[in-house]
Short mmCIF file of all heavy atoms in Angstrom, two decimals:
data_model
loop_
_atom_site.label_atom_id
_atom_site.label_comp_id
_atom_site.label_asym_id
_atom_site.label_seq_id
_atom_site.Cartn_x
_atom_site.Cartn_y
_atom_site.Cartn_z
N SER A 1 -6.48 -8.41 -5.89
CA SER A 1 -7.36 -9.54 -5.57
C SER A 1 -7.22 -10.71 -6.57
O SER A 1 -7.06 -11.80 -6.28
CB SER A 1 -8.77 -9.11 -5.43
OG SER A 1 -9.63 -10.22 -5.10
N ALA A 2 -7.17 -10.26 -7.87
CA ALA A 2 -7.01 -11.25 -8.93
C ALA A 2 -5.68 -11.94 -8.91
O ALA A 2 -5.55 -13.04 -9.38
CB ALA A 2 -7.25 -10.53 -10.35
N LEU A 3 -4.68 -11.28 -8.35
CA LEU A 3 -3.33 -11.87 -8.18
C LEU A 3 -3.20 -12.76 -6.95
O LEU A 3 -2.14 -13.33 -6.72
CB LEU A 3 -2.23 -10.80 -8.27
CG LEU A 3 -2.01 -10.13 -9.58
CD1 LEU A 3 -0.97 -9.01 -9.43
CD2 LEU A 3 -1.61 -11.14 -10.64
N GLY A 4 -4.29 -12.77 -6.13
CA GLY A 4 -4.23 -13.63 -4.99
C GLY A 4 -3.84 -12.94 -3.70
O GLY A 4 -3.41 -13.58 -2.75
N ALA A 5 -3.96 -11.62 -3.59
CA ALA A 5 -3.61 -10.88 -2.38
C ALA A 5 -4.63 -11.06 -1.33
O ALA A 5 -4.49 -10.56 -0.22
CB ALA A 5 -3.36 -9.42 -2.74
N GLY A 6 -5.75 -11.72 -1.64
CA GLY A 6 -6.82 -11.92 -0.64
C GLY A 6 -8.02 -11.19 -1.01
O GLY A 6 -8.07 -10.43 -2.04
N ASP A 7 -9.13 -11.45 -0.27
CA ASP A 7 -10.38 -10.81 -0.48
C ASP A 7 -10.51 -9.50 0.15
O ASP A 7 -11.39 -8.64 -0.24
CB ASP A 7 -11.56 -11.72 -0.02
CG ASP A 7 -11.62 -13.01 -0.84
OD1 ASP A 7 -11.20 -13.01 -2.04
OD2 ASP A 7 -12.05 -14.02 -0.24
N ARG A 8 -9.70 -9.25 1.07
CA ARG A 8 -9.76 -7.97 1.95
C ARG A 8 -8.61 -7.12 1.59
O ARG A 8 -7.56 -7.13 2.22
CB ARG A 8 -9.80 -8.31 3.38
CG ARG A 8 -10.61 -7.35 4.13
CD ARG A 8 -11.08 -7.80 5.39
NE ARG A 8 -11.62 -6.51 5.71
CZ ARG A 8 -11.44 -5.89 6.81
NH1 ARG A 8 -10.67 -6.37 7.73
NH2 ARG A 8 -11.88 -4.69 7.03
N ILE A 9 -8.75 -6.32 0.53
CA ILE A 9 -7.70 -5.36 0.10
C ILE A 9 -8.04 -4.06 0.77
O ILE A 9 -9.01 -3.34 0.32
CB ILE A 9 -7.66 -5.24 -1.41
CG1 ILE A 9 -7.51 -6.63 -2.07
CG2 ILE A 9 -6.54 -4.25 -1.87
CD1 ILE A 9 -6.36 -7.41 -1.81
N LYS A 10 -7.26 -3.60 1.75
CA LYS A 10 -7.55 -2.34 2.41
C LYS A 10 -7.03 -1.15 1.63
O LYS A 10 -6.02 -1.29 0.97
CB LYS A 10 -6.84 -2.37 3.76
CG LYS A 10 -7.33 -3.41 4.71
CD LYS A 10 -6.83 -3.29 6.16
CE LYS A 10 -5.41 -2.99 6.28
NZ LYS A 10 -4.89 -3.04 7.70
N SER A 11 -7.74 -0.08 1.76
CA SER A 11 -7.24 1.20 1.09
C SER A 11 -6.12 1.74 1.90
O SER A 11 -6.25 1.83 3.14
CB SER A 11 -8.41 2.19 1.05
OG SER A 11 -7.87 3.45 0.58
N PRO A 12 -4.99 2.12 1.28
CA PRO A 12 -3.88 2.68 2.09
C PRO A 12 -3.94 4.21 2.28
O PRO A 12 -2.96 4.84 2.51
CB PRO A 12 -2.69 2.28 1.20
CG PRO A 12 -3.22 2.24 -0.18
CD PRO A 12 -4.61 1.73 -0.03
N THR A 13 -5.21 4.71 2.26
CA THR A 13 -5.38 6.15 2.34
C THR A 13 -4.76 6.73 3.57
O THR A 13 -4.08 7.76 3.59
CB THR A 13 -6.85 6.53 2.35
OG1 THR A 13 -7.37 6.12 1.11
CG2 THR A 13 -7.06 8.06 2.46
N TYR A 14 -4.90 5.99 4.73
CA TYR A 14 -4.34 6.49 6.02
C TYR A 14 -2.99 5.84 6.39
O TYR A 14 -2.16 6.46 6.99
CB TYR A 14 -5.35 6.31 7.14
CG TYR A 14 -6.60 7.15 6.92
CD1 TYR A 14 -7.74 6.60 6.45
CD2 TYR A 14 -6.50 8.50 7.18
CE1 TYR A 14 -8.84 7.41 6.19
CE2 TYR A 14 -7.61 9.32 6.94
CZ TYR A 14 -8.79 8.79 6.44
OH TYR A 14 -9.86 9.55 6.19
N SER A 15 -2.79 4.59 5.99
CA SER A 15 -1.53 3.97 6.34
C SER A 15 -0.47 4.21 5.30
O SER A 15 0.68 4.03 5.48
CB SER A 15 -1.79 2.41 6.34
OG SER A 15 -2.17 1.93 5.03
N LEU A 16 -0.83 4.79 4.14
CA LEU A 16 0.06 5.13 3.00
C LEU A 16 0.53 3.96 2.22
O LEU A 16 0.68 4.01 1.02
CB LEU A 16 1.26 5.97 3.42
CG LEU A 16 0.95 7.33 4.12
CD1 LEU A 16 2.19 7.98 4.47
CD2 LEU A 16 0.06 8.16 3.32
N ILE A 17 0.76 2.85 2.88
CA ILE A 17 1.22 1.66 2.21
C ILE A 17 0.69 0.40 2.81
O ILE A 17 0.60 0.28 3.99
CB ILE A 17 2.83 1.58 2.20
CG1 ILE A 17 3.33 0.44 1.31
CG2 ILE A 17 3.37 1.61 3.60
CD1 ILE A 17 4.86 0.48 1.03
N GLU A 18 0.25 -0.57 1.96
CA GLU A 18 -0.28 -1.83 2.44
C GLU A 18 0.52 -2.94 1.69
O GLU A 18 0.60 -2.94 0.45
CB GLU A 18 -1.76 -1.96 2.10
CG GLU A 18 -2.66 -1.14 2.99
CD GLU A 18 -2.71 -1.54 4.41
OE1 GLU A 18 -2.41 -2.69 4.77
OE2 GLU A 18 -2.97 -0.64 5.25
N PRO A 19 1.16 -3.84 2.39
CA PRO A 19 1.91 -4.90 1.80
C PRO A 19 1.01 -6.19 1.70
O PRO A 19 0.09 -6.40 2.46
CB PRO A 19 2.99 -5.20 2.85
CG PRO A 19 2.36 -4.85 4.18
CD PRO A 19 1.39 -3.76 3.90
N TYR A 20 1.32 -6.97 0.64
CA TYR A 20 0.64 -8.23 0.39
C TYR A 20 1.62 -9.29 -0.11
O TYR A 20 2.68 -8.92 -0.64
CB TYR A 20 -0.48 -8.08 -0.71
CG TYR A 20 -1.49 -7.06 -0.29
CD1 TYR A 20 -1.47 -5.72 -0.67
CD2 TYR A 20 -2.60 -7.42 0.55
CE1 TYR A 20 -2.37 -4.81 -0.20
CE2 TYR A 20 -3.61 -6.52 0.98
CZ TYR A 20 -3.44 -5.21 0.53
OH TYR A 20 -4.32 -4.32 0.95
N THR A 21 1.20 -10.52 0.03
CA THR A 21 1.94 -11.58 -0.58
C THR A 21 0.94 -12.34 -1.54
O THR A 21 -0.16 -12.65 -1.17
CB THR A 21 2.37 -12.68 0.45
OG1 THR A 21 3.26 -12.03 1.40
CG2 THR A 21 3.15 -13.82 -0.21
N LEU A 22 1.33 -12.39 -2.81
CA LEU A 22 0.55 -12.90 -3.88
C LEU A 22 0.55 -14.45 -3.79
O LEU A 22 1.38 -15.08 -3.22
CB LEU A 22 1.03 -12.35 -5.23
CG LEU A 22 1.05 -10.83 -5.33
CD1 LEU A 22 1.60 -10.45 -6.69
CD2 LEU A 22 -0.31 -10.18 -5.02
N ASP A 23 -0.41 -15.05 -4.48
CA ASP A 23 -0.51 -16.50 -4.55
C ASP A 23 0.81 -17.18 -4.94
O ASP A 23 1.09 -18.26 -4.50
CB ASP A 23 -1.59 -16.89 -5.55
CG ASP A 23 -2.95 -16.92 -4.94
OD1 ASP A 23 -3.08 -16.80 -3.66
OD2 ASP A 23 -4.00 -16.97 -5.66
N ASP A 24 1.53 -16.55 -5.90
CA ASP A 24 2.82 -17.15 -6.36
C ASP A 24 4.02 -16.79 -5.42
O ASP A 24 5.11 -17.11 -5.75
CB ASP A 24 3.10 -16.79 -7.83
CG ASP A 24 3.20 -15.30 -8.02
OD1 ASP A 24 3.30 -14.53 -6.97
OD2 ASP A 24 3.37 -14.93 -9.17
N GLY A 25 3.71 -16.12 -4.36
CA GLY A 25 4.79 -15.82 -3.41
C GLY A 25 5.50 -14.49 -3.57
O GLY A 25 6.26 -14.11 -2.74
N ARG A 26 5.15 -13.80 -4.67
CA ARG A 26 5.78 -12.50 -4.93
C ARG A 26 5.20 -11.44 -3.97
O ARG A 26 4.01 -11.53 -3.52
CB ARG A 26 5.43 -11.98 -6.33
CG ARG A 26 6.19 -12.69 -7.46
CD ARG A 26 5.85 -12.13 -8.80
NE ARG A 26 4.47 -12.34 -9.13
CZ ARG A 26 3.77 -11.60 -9.94
NH1 ARG A 26 4.34 -10.65 -10.64
NH2 ARG A 26 2.51 -11.86 -10.26
N PRO A 27 6.03 -10.45 -3.66
CA PRO A 27 5.46 -9.38 -2.72
C PRO A 27 4.72 -8.39 -3.59
O PRO A 27 4.97 -8.27 -4.87
CB PRO A 27 6.77 -8.69 -2.24
CG PRO A 27 7.83 -9.00 -3.30
CD PRO A 27 7.42 -10.27 -3.92
N ALA A 28 3.74 -7.71 -2.99
CA ALA A 28 3.03 -6.63 -3.63
C ALA A 28 2.81 -5.54 -2.62
O ALA A 28 2.73 -5.77 -1.45
CB ALA A 28 1.68 -7.18 -4.17
N TRP A 29 2.74 -4.36 -3.16
CA TRP A 29 2.51 -3.14 -2.30
C TRP A 29 1.52 -2.21 -3.01
O TRP A 29 1.51 -2.05 -4.24
CB TRP A 29 3.77 -2.33 -2.04
CG TRP A 29 4.72 -3.01 -1.12
CD1 TRP A 29 4.57 -2.99 0.24
CD2 TRP A 29 5.83 -3.76 -1.45
NE1 TRP A 29 5.62 -3.75 0.76
CE2 TRP A 29 6.38 -4.24 -0.24
CE3 TRP A 29 6.43 -4.19 -2.61
CZ2 TRP A 29 7.53 -5.04 -0.18
CZ3 TRP A 29 7.58 -4.99 -2.62
CH2 TRP A 29 8.10 -5.35 -1.40
N HIS A 30 0.62 -1.67 -2.23
CA HIS A 30 -0.35 -0.75 -2.74
C HIS A 30 -0.15 0.57 -1.87
O HIS A 30 -0.27 0.52 -0.67
CB HIS A 30 -1.82 -1.26 -2.49
CG HIS A 30 -2.85 -0.36 -2.97
ND1 HIS A 30 -4.17 -0.53 -2.64
CD2 HIS A 30 -2.85 0.76 -3.75
CE1 HIS A 30 -4.89 0.37 -3.18
NE2 HIS A 30 -4.13 1.18 -3.88
N LEU A 31 0.17 1.60 -2.54
CA LEU A 31 0.52 2.90 -1.96
C LEU A 31 -0.54 3.93 -2.36
O LEU A 31 -0.99 4.01 -3.52
CB LEU A 31 1.84 3.43 -2.31
CG LEU A 31 3.12 2.76 -1.81
CD1 LEU A 31 3.41 1.42 -2.60
CD2 LEU A 31 4.30 3.65 -1.87
N ASP A 32 -0.88 4.79 -1.42
CA ASP A 32 -1.78 5.90 -1.67
C ASP A 32 -1.09 7.14 -1.11
O ASP A 32 -1.00 7.32 0.17
CB ASP A 32 -3.12 5.70 -1.08
CG ASP A 32 -4.12 6.84 -1.42
OD1 ASP A 32 -3.65 7.96 -1.63
OD2 ASP A 32 -5.32 6.55 -1.35
N LEU A 33 -0.55 7.95 -1.89
CA LEU A 33 0.28 9.13 -1.49
C LEU A 33 -0.51 10.38 -1.41
O LEU A 33 0.13 11.53 -1.32
CB LEU A 33 1.52 9.25 -2.38
CG LEU A 33 2.37 8.02 -2.47
CD1 LEU A 33 3.57 8.27 -3.42
CD2 LEU A 33 2.82 7.49 -1.15
N TYR A 34 -1.82 10.34 -1.38
CA TYR A 34 -2.64 11.53 -1.36
C TYR A 34 -2.26 12.46 -0.23
O TYR A 34 -2.26 13.71 -0.34
CB TYR A 34 -4.12 11.22 -1.36
CG TYR A 34 -4.99 12.42 -1.31
CD1 TYR A 34 -5.23 13.18 -2.43
CD2 TYR A 34 -5.70 12.76 -0.16
CE1 TYR A 34 -6.04 14.27 -2.43
CE2 TYR A 34 -6.53 13.87 -0.07
CZ TYR A 34 -6.71 14.62 -1.23
OH TYR A 34 -7.51 15.73 -1.25
N ARG A 35 -1.95 11.96 0.88
CA ARG A 35 -1.74 12.73 2.12
C ARG A 35 -0.23 13.24 2.25
O ARG A 35 0.08 13.87 3.19
CB ARG A 35 -2.02 11.96 3.32
CG ARG A 35 -3.56 11.64 3.41
CD ARG A 35 -3.92 11.02 4.71
NE ARG A 35 -5.40 10.64 4.64
CZ ARG A 35 -6.34 11.56 4.87
NH1 ARG A 35 -6.01 12.77 5.11
NH2 ARG A 35 -7.61 11.20 4.84
N ILE A 36 0.55 12.84 1.21
CA ILE A 36 1.93 13.34 1.26
C ILE A 36 2.07 14.74 0.71
O ILE A 36 1.66 15.04 -0.43
CB ILE A 36 2.90 12.38 0.45
CG1 ILE A 36 2.85 10.98 1.06
CG2 ILE A 36 4.25 12.85 0.25
CD1 ILE A 36 3.51 10.87 2.43
N ALA A 37 2.77 15.61 1.39
CA ALA A 37 2.94 16.99 0.98
C ALA A 37 4.34 17.11 0.31
O ALA A 37 4.51 17.98 -0.57
CB ALA A 37 2.82 17.94 2.17
N ASP A 38 5.27 16.28 0.68
CA ASP A 38 6.67 16.41 0.11
C ASP A 38 7.25 15.01 0.02
O ASP A 38 7.09 14.20 0.94
CB ASP A 38 7.51 17.28 1.11
CG ASP A 38 8.93 17.47 0.62
OD1 ASP A 38 9.75 16.58 0.89
OD2 ASP A 38 9.17 18.50 -0.09
N PRO A 39 7.96 14.70 -1.03
CA PRO A 39 8.50 13.37 -1.26
C PRO A 39 9.41 12.95 -0.15
O PRO A 39 9.62 11.86 0.15
CB PRO A 39 9.24 13.50 -2.62
CG PRO A 39 8.55 14.59 -3.35
CD PRO A 39 8.09 15.50 -2.33
N GLY A 40 10.05 13.90 0.51
CA GLY A 40 10.94 13.59 1.71
C GLY A 40 10.20 12.89 2.77
O GLY A 40 10.87 12.17 3.64
N GLU A 41 8.92 13.02 2.92
CA GLU A 41 8.17 12.38 3.98
C GLU A 41 8.09 10.89 3.71
O GLU A 41 7.76 10.11 4.68
CB GLU A 41 6.68 12.86 3.91
CG GLU A 41 6.51 14.30 4.30
CD GLU A 41 5.14 14.84 4.22
OE1 GLU A 41 4.22 14.06 4.62
OE2 GLU A 41 4.85 15.93 3.75
N LEU A 42 8.51 10.37 2.56
CA LEU A 42 8.44 8.98 2.25
C LEU A 42 9.61 8.17 2.89
O LEU A 42 9.57 6.94 2.88
CB LEU A 42 8.38 8.70 0.76
CG LEU A 42 7.13 9.30 0.06
CD1 LEU A 42 7.21 9.16 -1.49
CD2 LEU A 42 5.91 8.61 0.55
N GLU A 43 10.61 8.82 3.25
CA GLU A 43 11.78 8.14 3.82
C GLU A 43 11.48 7.18 4.87
O GLU A 43 12.09 6.12 4.93
CB GLU A 43 12.87 9.18 4.29
CG GLU A 43 13.50 9.90 3.23
CD GLU A 43 14.56 10.91 3.81
OE1 GLU A 43 15.22 10.57 4.83
OE2 GLU A 43 14.78 12.00 3.14
N TRP A 44 10.59 7.43 5.78
CA TRP A 44 10.33 6.57 6.89
C TRP A 44 9.48 5.38 6.54
O TRP A 44 9.18 4.49 7.30
CB TRP A 44 9.61 7.34 8.05
CG TRP A 44 8.38 7.93 7.66
CD1 TRP A 44 8.16 9.25 7.10
CD2 TRP A 44 7.07 7.37 7.80
NE1 TRP A 44 6.86 9.44 6.94
CE2 TRP A 44 6.13 8.34 7.34
CE3 TRP A 44 6.61 6.20 8.24
CZ2 TRP A 44 4.75 8.12 7.29
CZ3 TRP A 44 5.18 5.94 8.25
CH2 TRP A 44 4.35 6.89 7.79
#
């Protein structure tokens, strides 16, 4: 939020990954891998 990703920062608990664009145009990602059992699941 402080970097300008918006006021509504969703938890990626179920989606695993949430993308954002910061105020300066840079990309940002927030990942929550709690539900991952094996790193191979991340390929998709």
Side-chain angles (χ1 to χ4, degrees):
S1 181
L3 289 175
D7 294 331
R8 213 159 173 235
I9 309 295
K10 296 190 317 187
S11 172
T13 299
Y14 294 101
S15 62
L16 302 180
I17 185 168
E18 289 292 334
Y20 298 95
T21 300
L22 304 178
D23 278 346
D24 62 7
R26 287 183 296 158
W29 287 279
H30 181 193
L31 289 78
D32 184 333
L33 305 182
Y34 180 73
R35 297 184 179 284
I36 295 295
D38 182 272
E41 295 177 41
L42 297 175
E43 286 183 35
W44 61 271

